[in-house]
């Protein structure tokens, strides 16, 4: 069994926006969320990718950060941006805590 320090801990943000282009996903959601997340205490790295009708952001907390606190802060940032998203868009924010993964992102 891997030691606790090796556990992958990421906060994942999934965006579903049917029919929205990758460029629009990036411009309307990914760039603004990345900008907001840069100010969240305890964030080590942010990775984002857009595709047709969806986007994904993975936030890796610093090893010393409380992942649950980072999760709450990320959820707050997403809630702030939701009014700017297309009406049919849906978001899901979750903590991935899986020692079977070697890295997040």
């Amino acid at each position: 069994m891997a030691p606790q320090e090796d556990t992958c801990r990421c906060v994942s943000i999934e965006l579903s926006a049917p029919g929205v282009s990758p460029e629009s996903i990036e411009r309307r959601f990914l760039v603004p969320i990345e900008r907001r997340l840069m100010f969240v205490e305890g964030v080590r790295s942010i990775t984002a990718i857009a595709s047709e009708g969806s986007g994904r952001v993975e936030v890796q907390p610093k090893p010393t950060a409380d992942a649950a606190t980072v999760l709450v802060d990320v959820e707050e940032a997403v809630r702030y941006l939701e009014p700017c998203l297309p009406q049919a868009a849906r978001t899901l924010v979750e903590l991935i805590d899986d020692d079977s993964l070697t890295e997040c992102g």
Side-chain angles (χ1 to χ4, degrees):
M1 183 168 193
Q4 184 66 24
E5 295 81 30
D6 292 339
T7 299
C8 177
R9 303 185 87 184
C10 290
V11 176
S12 173
I13 308 165
E14 297 283 342
L15 171 69
S16 172
V20 178
S21 72
E23 295 80 12
S24 187
I25 296 271
E26 183 175 0
R27 184 180 72 253
R28 293 177 72 182
F29 182 72
L30 297 182
V31 170
I33 196 70
E34 286 177 296
R35 285 182 181 151
R36 287 196 67 81
L37 294 177
M38 287 191 302
F39 297 101
V40 171
E41 189 172 331
V43 171
R44 179 171 153 183
S45 66
I46 303 166
T47 306
I49 187 164
S51 58
E52 185 69 34
S54 68
R56 179 179 175 94
V57 180
E58 289 184 353
V59 180
Q60 186 173 24
K62 293 177 181 175
T64 57
D66 177 45
T69 300
V70 174
L71 172 65
V72 170
D73 292 344
V74 169
E75 288 173 329
E76 183 179 305
V78 170
R79 274 194 305 275
Y80 178 83
L81 290 173
E82 282 179 337
C84 302
L85 297 175
Q87 192 169 8
R90 299 291 176 256
T91 58
L92 171 66
V93 181
E94 62 185 343
L95 178 64
I96 300 171
D97 193 358
D98 187 348
D99 60 11
S100 68
L101 299 173
T102 57
E103 65 178 297
C104 295

